[in-house]
């Protein structure tokens, strides 16, 4: 069952890029992002209403952190994704999302004061090199390959 759920998560996540790319041709990215947020909120409240009501006092104490994470994860991320998908392919959007490990490390360092290990840095460097390799289509020496980048990229 865990493998099925992990596979479904990957399908839903990948499908978001493909469906999002198709929808932004017809729907404003702000409306699309808001609809996604409302749908997700309703689904989660339907599934976890009891747990939310039980944890409400704790959640009130962490209100600032919850709002920050909600803005980044549920508002800004899909909004910028859908705006970018107006100008680029869903494949390019997925490739660029591999910058997430670096962003997570920076957020953890500056907001949560976590230590970044050499292993973390090595992983980010490897990920970055691989992204550059994919974007440059294997021709990292020749800078003209980056001429095909567009506004969404």
């Amino acid at each position: 069952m865990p493998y099925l759920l992990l596979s479904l998560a990957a399908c839903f996540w990948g499908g978001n890029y493909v469906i999002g790319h198709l929808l932004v041709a017809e729907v404003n990215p702000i409306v699309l992002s808001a609809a996604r947020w409302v749908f997700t909120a309703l689904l989660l409240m339907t599934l976890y209403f009891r747990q939310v009501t039980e944890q409400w006092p704790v959640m009130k104490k962490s209100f600032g952190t919850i709002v920050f994470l909600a803005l980044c994860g549920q508002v800004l991320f899909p909004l910028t994704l859908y705006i970018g998908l107006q100008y680029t392919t869903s494949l390019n959007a997925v490739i660029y999302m591999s910058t997430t490990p670096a962003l997570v490390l920076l957020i953890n360092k500056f907001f949560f004061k976590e230590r970044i290990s050499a292993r973390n840095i090595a992983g980010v460097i490897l990920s970055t090199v691989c992204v550059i390799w994919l974007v440059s289509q294997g021709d990292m020496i020749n800078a003209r390959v980056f001429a095909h980048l567009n506004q969404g990229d």
Side-chain angles (χ1 to χ4, degrees), residues 55-69:
Q55 295 296 318
W56 190 249
V58 176
M59 292 170 63
K60 281 175 46 177
K61 290 179 184 175
S62 303
F63 184 75
T65 303
I66 291 171
V67 168
F68 171 76
L69 293 173

Side-chain angles (χ1 to χ4, degrees), residues 42-76:
L42 289 173
L43 178 66
L44 289 175
M45 283 306 292
T46 301
L47 294 172
Y48 299 106
F49 182 78
R50 186 176 56 82
Q51 290 90 335
V52 169
T53 55
E54 289 172 1
Q55 295 296 318
W56 190 249
V58 176
M59 292 170 63
K60 281 175 46 177
K61 290 179 184 175
S62 303
F63 184 75
T65 303
I66 291 171
V67 168
F68 171 76
L69 293 173
L71 283 174
C72 291
Q74 288 296 321
V75 177
L76 294 177

Side-chain angles (χ1 to χ4, degrees), residues 1-20:
M1 184 62 129
Y3 294 112
L4 172 66
L5 294 175
L6 286 171
S7 299
L8 285 174
C11 288
F12 289 138
W13 192 25
N16 181 45
Y17 292 90
V18 175
I19 300 298

Side-chain angles (χ1 to χ4, degrees), residues 93-123:
V94 172
I95 290 171
Y96 295 120
M97 283 310 301
S98 61
T99 61
T100 301
L103 294 175
V104 168
L105 282 180
L106 291 174
I107 289 170
N108 284 341
K109 173 70 174 172
F110 293 113
F111 288 101
F112 302 112
K113 309 295 185 229
E114 289 187 13
R115 187 181 160 279
I116 299 175
S117 70
R119 190 175 188 182
N120 294 137
I121 293 170

